Amino acid sequence: VSARLGCGSMGGMLTLPPGQGPHPVGCTDVMVGHTRQGLFLRLFYPCLARTGAAEPLWIPRPEYCGGLAGATLGRRWGSALLSIAIGSCKVPVSWNGALKPCSAGYPLIIFSHGLRAFRTLYSAICTELASWGFVVAALEHRDHSAAATYFCTAEAVEEWIPFQRVPQGQKEFYFRNKQVHQRARECVRALRLFQGIAGGRAVPSILPQGWDLSVLKDNLDLTKVAVMGHSFGGVTAVLALVKEPSFRCAVALDAWMFPLENLLYPEVPKPVLFINTEKFQTPENVAKMKRLSSRNGQTRIVTVLGTVHEDQTDFAFLPGKLFSCIFGRRGTLDPHKALAITSQATLAFLQRHLKLQEDFARWDELLEGAGDSLAPEAPLGRSRL
């Protein structure tokens, strides 16, 4: 699945990889509620055979372009890239595909996006995890940290929630701390949504595509639930462990620990897997991760060598020259290998802490930082870039 991206003299292909697990993957969007207190998410799940199925757009609406392009990519390259991506780049999954029944129930992952991202920019990792037998709910947060998002009023009017910078004169910590608490509450509300469905409550999605959420009723195992996220979403996942006992563990991809107040560190009760890239972390950030690992012997910190922050997003699959023009230096590790390391370490961690009856323990050594292109903890002085 690919689309040509021509930016001046730059060209190339964006190709998102299909899942490598045994299950075909389906995908649908879910919006619940007519106010900003509702939920909006993209759901990835094991589905029946996807031969000839329609595929969803990677960037689903042009309104996302301005918010993402404004700062994350820079207006010149971001606007060019995203305007071309609209309506062309697709995700290699079955749009509204039929759920593959599972009598034992699929484990659930709630996924939280990073600052100035949105629900579709982690399609590669969400697709990969769903292909190994998980239902993955990728939230679109409504705390003004998404590039853009919206809700539909009862009168079917779209109300857009734009990205908001830190207000002038306000301390960034207090602004971001308020956001991360809202984000964690939204993760908990997403879990409540699925608990309601599993309990037989009718939960209609107000979007027009008509995917029936009730098919999940007997196909989820809500004793096996994890929370996961990238960057701002990584620290959101850590905080969600404090707010909701049903989350058994968290996976934090290149977590930005800054917004979490110090008083909460002793309150994080469950294990966390921190998977860092080589070129994002600071000594202060890593010290906060180590503070958590010192309190929980099951918490792990590993670093994928030869990677940068954006390598844990779908942007990793942009061609090299185009990536470098948009973001600057890119990682030296092949993005497919980086995705494989991240997903396999995640699967091993989830098997251990969700008590899964799978063979993901074959990747246990990754949790200790063993293996090619991986290092234990955060070797800030070591570089392959």
Side-chain angles (χ1 to χ4, degrees):
V1 180
S2 58
R4 237 170 233 296
L5 299 170
C7 296
S9 62
M10 302 300 299
M13 303 290 285
L14 169 71
T15 305
L16 294 179
Q20 299 301 302
H23 303 283
V25 177
C27 178
T28 193
D29 279 340
V30 176
M31 185 182 290
V32 176
H34 290 288
T35 70
R36 67 174 60 213
Q37 283 70 48
L39 289 170
F40 192 17
L41 57 90
R42 179 161 282 193
L43 197 65
F44 297 81
Y45 52 88
C47 76
L48 300 175
R50 60 177 297 268
T51 304
E55 296 174 334
L57 295 175
W58 176 54
I59 307 293
R61 294 284 297 270
E63 288 87 349
Y64 290 100
C65 294
L68 183 57
T72 305
L73 306 180
R75 292 192 182 279
R76 178 190 174 201
W77 291 106
S79 296
L81 168 65
L82 293 174
S83 64
I84 292 168
I86 290 293
S88 56
C89 301
K90 294 186 177 180
V91 183
V93 296
S94 298
W95 183 242
N96 287 338
L99 179 76
K100 185 177 182 179
C102 178
S103 59
Y106 295 115
L108 174 67
I109 300 171
I110 306 296
F111 193 99
S112 172
H113 64 72
L115 188 65
R116 215 167 188 132
F118 43 94
R119 71 189 187 282
T120 71
L121 293 187
Y122 301 89
S123 293
I125 185 67
C126 292
T127 297
E128 181 64 21
L129 294 172
S131 78
W132 290 97
F134 292 82
V135 170
V136 185
L139 286 175
E140 195 160 280
H141 289 292
R142 291 172 168 174
D143 62 325
H144 293 280
S145 69
T149 189
Y150 69 97
F151 62 94
C152 294
T153 68
E155 295 75 30
V157 176
E158 290 182 0
E159 295 281 351
W160 282 83
I161 303 170
F163 176 80
Q164 184 178 348
R165 298 176 184 273
V166 179
Q168 188 173 5
Q170 186 169 341
K171 297 271 189 189
E172 183 175 14
F173 172 80
Y174 296 109
F175 185 73
R176 299 301 185 200
N177 179 256
K178 182 178 179 181
Q179 286 183 311
V180 76
H181 278 271
Q182 177 176 335
R183 290 164 137 262
R185 289 193 297 269
E186 289 173 346
C187 291
V188 175
R189 290 212 308 273
L191 175 57
R192 296 283 181 265
L193 170 72
F194 292 103
Q195 288 173 333
I197 293 169
R201 182 163 61 89
V203 182
S205 175
I206 64 176
L207 297 175
Q209 65 228 12
W211 202 80
D212 184 3
L213 291 171
S214 68
V215 300
L216 294 168
K217 178 180 181 297
D218 298 316
N219 289 285
L220 291 174
D221 183 350
L222 295 182
T223 68
K224 297 178 171 61
V225 184
V227 59
M228 184 172 181
H230 174 249
S231 194
F232 203 4
V235 74
T236 300
V238 172
L239 181 56
L241 288 183
V242 178
K243 293 186 178 292
E244 177 50 53
S246 294
F247 289 127
R248 301 276 295 275
C249 60
V251 179
L253 306 180
D254 232 9
W256 181 43
M257 301 298 290
F258 169 77
L260 193 63
E261 62 265 43
N262 289 332
L263 289 174
L264 279 174
Y265 283 87
E267 304 299 324
V268 179
K270 306 287 179 60
V272 181
L273 172 61
F274 292 101
I275 305 179
N276 295 332
T277 66
E278 190 178 336
K279 281 298 181 181
F280 177 73
Q281 295 299 330
T282 65
E284 295 79 11
N285 217 41
V286 171
K288 293 179 178 182
M289 296 177 187
K290 290 184 175 180
R291 184 175 176 186
L292 285 182
S293 66
S294 69
R295 294 178 178 275
N296 190 313
Q298 296 299 312
T299 287
R300 294 290 183 269
I301 306 169
V302 298
T303 297
V304 185
L305 301 174
T307 57
V308 299
H309 195 53
E310 291 77 19
D311 283 333
Q312 292 180 332
T313 75
D314 293 341
F315 291 118
F317 299 97
L318 290 173
K321 292 178 74 174
L322 184 56
F323 183 103
S324 297
C325 281
I326 295 170
F327 294 106
R329 178 182 293 183
R330 76 167 302 155
T332 56
L333 185 65
D334 176 79
H336 296 86
K337 183 171 183 179
L339 175 63
I341 292 171
T342 298
S343 59
Q344 290 166 7
T346 297
L347 291 169
F349 186 77
L350 294 178
Q351 167 148 325
R352 183 177 295 183
H353 298 292
L354 299 184
K355 310 299 183 186
L356 304 178
Q357 301 301 311
E358 302 288 348
D359 62 348
F360 304 150
R362 56 183 151 151
W363 297 309
D364 273 352
E365 68 172 8
L366 301 179
L367 301 180
E368 309 306 324
D372 186 37
S373 299
L374 200 62
E377 296 196 343
L380 295 168
R382 179 179 178 183
S383 178
R384 293 191 180 184
L385 294 175

